[in-house]
Amino acid sequence: MQYRTVPKNGDALSALGFGAMRLPTRFGRIDEARAVRQLRSAIDSGVNYLDTAYPYHNGESEKVLGKALRDGYRERVKIADKLPHWQIKSREDMDRILDLQLRRLQTDRIDYYLLHSLDAKSWKKLAGLDVFGFLEAARDAGKIGNLGFSFHGDRKTFREIVDAYDWTFCQIQYNFLDEENQAGREGLEYAASKDIAVIVMEPLRGGMLAAGLPKDVQEVYDASGSARSPAEWALRWIWDHPEVTVVLSGMNDEAHIAENIRTCEDALPGCLSDAERAVVDAAAASYKSRIRVNCTGCAYCMPCPFGVNIPQCFHFYNQYHMGGSRMLTRGFYIAQVIGFDDHPANASLCRSCGKCVRACPQGIAIPDELQKVSRDLDGFSTKLMKPLVKMLMTRRQKE
C-alpha cells in the first residue's frame, strides 16, 4: 500500500481510502456480512482511512462500519465522519448528532471530522451557529481529532473557507472531468499550498468513468496500447497529482477493491508520462461531448417528495446519450426506475417543487433536466416496451 503524509500532523494515510457511501446492498439494504468482509479485507491490505457520513445508507453506513471495526480493527484505522449542516438548527444539534455518530460507530473518538458538503449558504449558516466553538470543544473533550470540511461550492467560497480556519484537511470532488468544476485544480493547489491535506471524492464520478464507456472513449484507451482498465486510468490520473493525499473510492465489489489496491501501490506522484496524460485528456474530451447532466449520483437531492429517483433518472439519461444500445438502456430504466409495483420513481413524477435544486452540490437545474429525461425515457416507446420487460424479468425470477 502507498501512504501519503498529512502535512500538519504527520499521519501516514493510505493513498486509497475506503468510502462507505456505496456499500454492497441486498434487497435494498446493506449486505452487512459482505460489507464487513470487504472492509476488513481492505484494512488487512493496508487501507487505513475509512470515510462515512451521517446520512449514508440512511444512517446504516456508520453502524456497519462500527461493526466492521470490532475485533481489533478499530486501532488500525482512521475514521472520517461528517457533521450534516442540513440537520443543524442550533449548537445543541451539533452535540446531539456527534454523540449519535459515536454510538453508531462504537467508538469514543472520530479521527477526522468534517463539516459536510459546504457551499456559500451552508458555510454562512454554520459560522453563525458557532460551529468553531463546537469543533474546538469536541476536540478538547477528545471526541474528535483533526478538523476539516467537504466542499461542493464555487472556488471563491472554497478559498474563503480555507482562509477562515487552521484546517488539517479538506475533501473535494476531483477527477479528469472536474478540473474546472467546484474547487477544481485551482482549489486543490490552493489548499495544498496552505499545508492542508486534500482528500479526493468522486474520482470515478459515481462509476461513470469506470464502466459502460462510450465506444469512442473505449477506443481512446484501446489505442494507447495499455491493458489498464478505465478505472485504473482515472485513478492514476488523480494519484499523479502530488497535492492529493487520499483518494476515496466507494467500493462494493471484491474484484474492484483488489484492482484499486494494486493500482495504488505504484501510482505515485508523477507516475504518468506526458503521452499517458494525453490519453486521459482525449478520453475527457470524448466524454464532455456526450454528457447531458453532470450528476455524480451523490443523492443529496434525495428523497424527492414525489418519489422520483433523481440520480437513477440522470444515470440512465446520460447512458442513453453516451453510446451503446438505447433499447437496452430503456429496458433497464423501466426495470429499475419505473418498476412494476405501486412505487414508480421515473422522471415524469417531478412537480418542480425546487427542493432538489437547493440540495444539489452540482448546481443542476434538476426539474428542467428531468423534463428532458421524461421526454426521452417516459414516452410512448417506453409504454410499449414495459410489458416485454416485465415478462423477461418474471421469467428470470422463475429461473
Side-chain angles (χ1 to χ4, degrees):
M1 176 56 64
Q2 174 194 167
Y3 297 90
R4 299 190 181 186
T5 303
V6 177
K8 290 186 178 179
N9 65 18
D11 281 353
L13 301 182
S14 56
L16 174 65
F18 201 121
M21 180 181 179
R22 299 183 176 98
L23 296 173
T25 58
R26 189 167 181 262
F27 304 124
R29 301 195 65 179
I30 296 175
D31 185 340
E32 188 173 301
R34 186 180 178 197
V36 168
R37 287 197 302 271
Q38 290 179 350
L39 286 160
R40 291 185 173 186
S41 175
I43 295 168
D44 290 338
S45 296
V47 173
N48 70 357
Y49 188 87
L50 308 181
D51 172 272
T52 187
Y54 183 82
Y56 292 174
H57 290 280
N58 294 316
E60 294 300 308
S61 173
E62 292 171 329
K63 295 178 182 178
V64 171
L65 185 55
K67 293 177 181 179
L69 294 180
R70 294 171 180 167
D71 304 322
Y73 279 88
R74 173 66 184 96
E75 291 73 23
R76 298 166 60 182
V77 302
K78 304 295 185 183
I79 298 175
D81 206 341
K82 310 176 186 77
L83 181 74
H85 66 78
W86 56 93
Q87 296 280 353
I88 304 299
K89 294 182 180 179
S90 68
R91 167 67 184 274
E92 290 72 26
D93 288 337
M94 302 179 198
D95 292 303
R96 174 182 56 80
I97 288 173
L98 173 57
D99 287 342
L100 174 59
Q101 290 174 309
L102 291 169
R103 290 196 299 273
R104 286 176 174 177
L105 289 165
Q106 302 181 40
T107 188
D108 56 5
R109 174 185 169 92
I110 296 171
D111 307 289
Y112 284 77
Y113 199 67
L114 305 90
L115 306 182
H116 196 175
S117 189
L118 293 187
D119 58 13
K121 184 177 179 180
S122 55
W123 166 241
K124 182 178 179 181
K125 170 189 171 182
L126 289 180
L129 292 173
D130 189 29
V131 73
F132 291 127
F134 157 74
L135 291 173
E136 291 172 357
R139 183 177 60 190
D140 291 344
K143 293 182 178 181
I144 60 177
N146 303 284
L147 308 182
F149 65 95
S150 69
F151 187 76
H152 283 295
D154 60 84
R155 286 192 287 278
K156 179 181 178 182
T157 302
F158 182 77
R159 281 178 171 263
E160 178 185 338
I161 297 173
V162 164
D163 292 340
Y165 193 73
D166 184 23
W167 306 104
T168 300
F169 72 117
C170 67
Q171 185 168 308
I172 65 172
Q173 177 173 315
Y174 195 63
N175 55 66
F176 67 69
L177 292 185
D178 285 320
E179 284 192 89
E180 302 301 325
N181 293 337
Q182 300 185 28
R185 181 185 286 269
E186 178 185 315
L188 169 68
E189 294 176 349
Y190 187 67
S193 76
K194 301 285 186 176
D195 285 334
I196 296 174
V198 179
I199 314 299
V200 168
M201 58 181 155
E202 299 294 353
L204 303 178
R205 263 200 166 211
M208 178 180 148
L209 304 182
L213 275 61
K215 182 180 178 181
D216 53 347
V217 175
Q218 187 62 58
E219 288 174 348
V220 168
Y221 290 136
D222 292 343
S224 72
S226 170
R228 292 173 182 163
S229 70
E232 182 175 351
W233 276 107
L235 291 171
R236 283 184 178 275
W237 182 89
I238 300 173
W239 278 315
D240 188 49
H241 294 66
E243 302 88 353
V244 171
T245 306
V246 174
V247 176
L248 292 176
S249 181
M251 301 179 284
N252 55 29
D253 178 88
E254 288 76 7
H256 296 163
I257 295 170
E259 179 188 22
N260 290 351
I261 291 171
R262 286 195 305 271
T263 301
C264 183
E265 290 174 355
D266 65 351
L268 305 173
C271 63
L272 294 184
S273 66
D274 289 342
E276 289 170 325
R277 293 187 189 102
V279 170
V280 179
D281 289 345
S286 293
Y287 272 115
K288 289 175 181 178
S289 70
R290 292 172 173 269
I291 292 172
R292 299 299 179 93
V293 183
N294 286 311
C295 172
T296 68
C298 70
Y300 293 140
C301 56
M302 298 292 283
C304 166
F306 302 98
V308 181
N309 189 326
I310 298 168
Q312 281 282 72
C313 286
F314 288 155
H315 168 74
F316 287 112
Y317 181 56
N318 282 330
Q319 287 294 107
Y320 188 77
H321 289 285
M322 285 176 62
S325 169
R326 287 190 166 186
M327 180 178 292
L328 187 61
T329 299
R330 190 184 300 277
F332 279 115
Y333 179 81
I334 292 169
Q336 297 183 27
V337 179
I338 297 177
F340 309 105
D341 54 21
D342 295 329
H343 302 286
N346 50 306
S348 63
L349 297 172
C350 174
R351 295 297 177 264
S352 301
C353 70
K355 179 183 177 182
C356 53
V357 177
R358 294 187 292 273
C360 179
Q362 319 301 326
I364 298 169
I366 293 174
D368 295 342
E369 297 298 340
L370 286 174
Q371 287 185 17
K372 299 173 185 177
V373 178
S374 180
R375 179 196 63 205
D376 287 353
L377 291 172
D378 283 335
F380 185 66
S381 296
T382 296
K383 290 181 174 63
L384 285 178
M385 192 173 172
K386 185 176 178 180
L388 174 61
V389 174
K390 184 176 182 179
M391 180 184 72
L392 292 172
M393 292 292 292
T394 303
R395 181 181 301 172
R396 178 175 294 180
Q397 291 169 358
K398 289 180 179 178
E399 292 172 352

